[in-house]
């Protein structure tokens, strides 16, 4: 199940500067395992010490925020687009 993953600028040091990479996994958790295997260190920037999504990192499968779906168990169908988007705050 090949999935395209959009990488934000702040995490591109882990992907050799690539803004988009391919990964595999039936769920978001499996996809993050695949990303970690290919780009060591990236999972720790997306997940916290308990293994949950970091509070200020948003992950979308297609146009849907995974927090409103099944979180890390969200299916990532073949051909899906996953976007990792750091939250931005300010005033």
């Amino acid at each position: 199940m090949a999935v395209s993953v959009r990488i934000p600028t702040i995490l591109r040091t882990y992907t050799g500067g690539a803004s988009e990479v391919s990964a595999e996994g039936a769920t978001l958790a499996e996809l993050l395992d695949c990303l970690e295997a290919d780009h060591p260190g990236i999972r720790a920037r997306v997940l916290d010490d308990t293994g949950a999504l970091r509070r200020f990192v948003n992950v979308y499968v297609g146009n849907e925020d995974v927090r409103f779906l099944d979180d890390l168990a969200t299916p990532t169908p073949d051909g899906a687009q996953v976007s990792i988007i750091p939250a931005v705050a300010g005033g």
Side-chain angles (χ1 to χ4, degrees), residues 13-32:
T13 55
Y14 297 98
T15 61
S19 62
E20 192 166 310
V21 297
S22 182
E24 295 186 5
T27 65
L28 180 59
E30 291 177 8
L31 185 86
L32 290 172

Side-chain angles (χ1 to χ4, degrees), residues 38 68 82:
D38 293 342
F68 300 104
V82 172

Side-chain angles (χ1 to χ4, degrees), residues 14-85:
Y14 297 98
T15 61
S19 62
E20 192 166 310
V21 297
S22 182
E24 295 186 5
T27 65
L28 180 59
E30 291 177 8
L31 185 86
L32 290 172
D33 288 343
C34 180
L35 273 180
E36 178 66 19
D38 293 342
H39 310 286
I42 197 167
R43 181 175 48 204
R45 299 296 305 267
V46 177
L47 303 179
D48 65 18
D49 293 340
T50 68
L53 286 173
R54 290 189 178 277
R55 184 173 176 195
F56 298 109
V57 175
N58 300 309
V59 179
Y60 292 82
V61 174
N63 293 324
E64 301 295 328
D65 186 335
V66 299
R67 286 191 170 96
F68 300 104
L69 298 173
D70 292 326
D71 209 50
L72 292 172
T74 299
T76 52
D78 192 30
Q81 174 89 46
V82 172
S83 300
I84 301 171
I85 302 172

